[in-house]
Amino acid sequence: MQDQLVLAVATALATKGSEALITGGGGALGRLYRLLRDRFRSSGVGTSGLDAATDDPDEVDRVELAEKIGRLMAADPDLRTRVEALWRGAAAELAMQSGGVINQFSGVADRVLQARDIGGDASL
């Protein structure tokens, strides 16, 4: 069974990767693409699968791309940590593009309230 993180990354690169690169690649998805591209190159695997994901996303085999990414991450635990961190940012960016809500909390608290579009009165 494929790692869900790896499948999500491969799918996002295939569906939104070219958009991320066209807009300058400054967001988390663009940084994720560049990180993986550099790792593919340095590992000697080549970037053909990754390039295909951005060049012709309808024709790319996402499962095959996910398997390649998974092998790179299995060989390098540091890469997995970096991919996870960039993926959190990329997932947030993708949710914002589709009008989604991003509620994130980091730290320690007794109570946390996160909301969007509260109608009417709210008392806390």
Side-chain angles (χ1 to χ4, degrees), residues 4 24 33 91 100-101 111 124:
Q4 294 302 308
Y33 172 85
V101 176
R111 295 183 185 108
L124 306 172

Side-chain angles (χ1 to χ4, degrees), residues 102-116:
I102 300 167
N103 289 320
Q104 293 181 329
F105 174 78
S106 177
V108 178
D110 291 331
R111 295 183 185 108
V112 175
L113 172 67
Q114 297 180 328
R116 175 181 175 204

